[in-house]
Amino acid sequence: MRIGELSARTGASVRMLRYYEEQGLLTPVRTDSGYRIYQEADVDRVARIRCMLSAALPSGVVGQALKFLLDGRAAIPDEPADRARIADTLQGELDLLTAKIESLRHSADLLATIVADVRGDVVGPGHPGDPGGAVVRRAVRKAGPALGPTR
């Protein structure tokens, strides 16, 4: 199948499929005229690539995982120490992802509190913490100097 059909069947854009090839995650056969020809198995491969990349795994780690999961190569050694090294790499990525998720949860909680306060009319002019007229507010253009006081 050609790149357009693989794109349609997987939901990955043609540009993303080319990126996967550039990263060594996808290896189509080339015709004499340079067209990419993909195998039926590449549909599943692209689905796995998209899943792992959406989990924020770096493409190098995705490549290692694909070798183990799909390629049938001896990418995961029989030696316990070598297997532990690969498992440690994957665990490190999982730990980073878990930390990012926790940070995003904290940000979401803060934003939810702000939204609730604004909707509940507990912040803003005339409420506790409002500096009132003591602060001169200035209107500012994005790429320019202050325009002057606003009231």
Side-chain angles (χ1 to χ4, degrees):
M1 85 185 78
R2 289 201 177 156
I3 196 167
E5 182 181 346
L6 183 62
S7 173
R9 290 184 60 190
T10 61
S13 69
V14 169
R15 183 177 177 152
M16 287 308 302
L17 293 173
R18 289 184 185 130
Y19 172 76
Y20 298 159
E21 179 182 359
E22 181 182 293
Q23 295 298 308
L25 304 176
L26 196 57
T27 311
V29 176
R30 294 286 188 142
T31 66
D32 291 338
S33 56
Y35 288 102
R36 294 169 177 87
I37 302 295
Y38 296 91
Q39 306 303 313
E40 187 64 30
D42 289 329
V43 174
D44 180 54
R45 185 178 194 87
V46 169
R48 290 175 187 249
I49 291 169
R50 292 185 74 191
C51 178
M52 287 186 272
L53 290 176
S54 71
L57 290 175
S59 59
V61 173
V62 172
Q64 286 180 325
L66 289 173
K67 287 176 185 174
F68 173 64
L69 294 170
L70 301 176
D71 293 344
R73 297 183 208 148
I76 302 295
D78 291 330
E79 294 297 318
D82 293 335
R83 291 179 72 90
R85 181 180 42 80
I86 293 170
D88 289 346
T89 298
L90 293 173
Q91 184 65 52
E93 293 300 327
L94 179 60
D95 293 346
L96 287 171
L97 184 57
T98 301
K100 287 178 187 176
I101 290 169
E102 193 55 41
S103 177
L104 287 171
R105 280 193 182 122
H106 179 70
S107 294
D109 290 346
L110 288 174
L111 185 56
T113 299
I114 292 168
V115 169
D117 288 349
V118 169
R119 289 186 186 208
D121 195 29
V122 295
V123 296
H127 294 286
D130 177 38
V135 173
V136 176
R137 293 175 177 83
R138 296 185 173 271
V140 179
R141 287 184 279 164
K142 278 188 174 183
L147 297 175
T150 60
R151 296 246 173 202

